[in-house]
């Protein structure tokens, strides 16, 4: 038996945690989302809510930062997960303060959460005082501003300065046919700075990255808990890892495929390695 055969034989297929994270915030968000204009699909909401609940459970603290707010649809979920002492930083080229405040008040911002609105081009954010204040202290960052490769690269460079060691960076319109340059910019940046970012999950239009030294924790969460966490939120999905981790250690998540909750490689569909 070769070493890889031995590893495959001893690895439990689809190890699973027995608990499901609380869905209270997700249910509350579902009650307000229809009243806010914007782009945020329910499967993406469920993934965010699951990952943010995991952060809460793991006592991961830090600020929440969004580039590209529009009327606050995704910012409202960030607001619901923000805890006392954390900042919610909302940056947009053309801020819509009235609409954003309406969204945040329907979300109900927690006591002790500081909301900071920043108007202007995200490429100038590194010159704002918020940059040193948030340096390496952001636990959740969403890049959803200008969808040019140049802007995405620049926003990722900012995220590289701001993201905490245990934070998550989300990038919108990853693998979108409308914005192929976004996918190119994300993969190029990760390839250029493999010690800074790992792409641990993608699906439902978004890329999820974390610090490379923390990737094992988010990968483990995806493998063991994500499908059940989504199901508890009414989103049935298939989590896939269709190659060896040494080739690409990224989970894909999408609509149910072949009636499976978890899907390994074509040559070994019941084995998830990460
Ligand atoms: C797709 S919308 C954001 C959607 C929002 N996240 C939601 O949940 O509905 C894109 C936003 O990015 C903003 N934007 C475009 N170019 C930008 C730039 N260079 N810097 C900052 N924001 C930008 C636009 O003003 C717009 O509000």
């Amino acid at each position: 038996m070769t070493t890889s055969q031995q590893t495959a034989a001893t690895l439990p297929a689809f190890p699973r945690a027995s608990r499901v994270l609380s869905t209270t915030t997700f249910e509350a968000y579902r009650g307000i989302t229809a009243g806010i204009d914007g782009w945020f699909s329910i499967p993406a909401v469920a993934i965010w809510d699951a990952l943010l609940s995991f952060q809460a459970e793991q006592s991961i603290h830090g600020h929440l930062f969004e580039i590209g707010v529009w009327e606050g649809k995704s910012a409202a979920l960030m607001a619901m997960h923000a805890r006392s002492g954390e900042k919610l930083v909302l940056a947009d080229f053309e801020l819509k303060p009235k609409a954003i405040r309406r969204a945040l008040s329907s979300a109900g911002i927690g006591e002790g959460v500081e909301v900071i609105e920043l108007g202007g081009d995200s490429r100038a954010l590194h010159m704002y005082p918020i940059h040193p204040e948030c340096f390496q202290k952001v636990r959740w960052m969403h890049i959803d501003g200008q969808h040019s490769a140049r802007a995405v690269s620049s926003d990722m460079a900012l995220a590289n300065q701001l993201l905490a060691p245990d934070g998550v960076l989300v990038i919108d319109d990853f693998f979108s046919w409308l914005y192929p340059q976004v996918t190119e910019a994300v993969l190029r940046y990760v390839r250029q700075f493999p010690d800074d970012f790992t792409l641990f999950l993608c699906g439902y239009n978004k890329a999820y990255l974390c610090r490379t030294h923390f990737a094992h924790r988010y990968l483990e969460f995806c493998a063991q808990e994500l499908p059940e966490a989504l199901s508890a939120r009414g989103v049935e999905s298939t989590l896939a890892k269709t190659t060896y981790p040494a080739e690409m250690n990224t989970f894909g998540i999408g609509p149910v495929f072949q009636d499976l909750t978890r899907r390994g490689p074509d040559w070994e569909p019941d084995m998830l390695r990460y």
Side-chain angles (χ1 to χ4, degrees), residues 38-39 66 68-70 73-74 92-94 120-122 144-146:
W39 297 262
E66 181 167 69
V69 186
W70 187 247
K73 200 173 181 81
S74 44
D92 198 290
F93 192 65
E94 283 178 51
D121 193 323
S122 63
D144 190 9
Q146 192 189 99

Side-chain angles (χ1 to χ4, degrees), residues 61-63 130-139 157-167 196 211:
H61 294 280
H63 307 310
I130 197 69
H131 185 273
E133 282 169 38
C134 285
F135 184 77
Q136 308 276 300
K137 287 189 189 138
V138 171
R139 71 170 162 106
L158 180 74
N160 203 356
Q161 297 289 306
L162 303 186
L163 199 72
D166 45 9
D196 293 332
R211 295 302 193 187

Side-chain angles (χ1 to χ4, degrees), residues 79-203:
M80 287 171 138
H81 278 278
R83 301 188 290 268
S84 182
E86 296 178 336
K87 298 182 202 301
L88 175 62
V89 186
L90 304 176
D92 198 290
F93 192 65
E94 283 178 51
L95 271 178
K96 297 169 176 282
K98 263 196 193 158
I100 292 170
R101 278 168 214 168
R102 209 178 314 121
L104 295 189
S105 81
S106 67
I109 197 98
E111 220 174 283
V113 175
E114 185 188 358
V115 179
I116 299 171
E117 293 171 9
L118 302 172
D121 193 323
S122 63
R123 278 169 282 203
L125 284 171
H126 66 278
M127 298 194 301
Y128 285 40
I130 197 69
H131 185 273
E133 282 169 38
C134 285
F135 184 77
Q136 308 276 300
K137 287 189 189 138
V138 171
R139 71 170 162 106
W140 190 266
M141 185 155 178
H142 184 211
I143 293 179
D144 190 9
Q146 192 189 99
H147 283 34
S148 67
R150 183 166 177 247
V152 171
S153 303
S154 162
D155 292 348
M156 287 186 78
L158 180 74
N160 203 356
Q161 297 289 306
L162 303 186
L163 199 72
D166 45 9
V168 169
L169 169 64
V170 189
I171 302 175
D172 188 59
D173 276 318
F174 189 70
F175 282 142
S176 157
W177 67 268
L178 200 53
Y179 305 103
Q181 66 278 9
V182 169
T183 307
E184 159 63 12
V186 172
L187 294 176
R188 193 198 316 136
Y189 196 92
V190 171
R191 214 170 290 131
Q192 208 174 345
F193 299 101
D195 304 330
D196 293 332
F197 287 124
T198 289
L199 176 67
F200 68 92
L201 176 70
C202 65

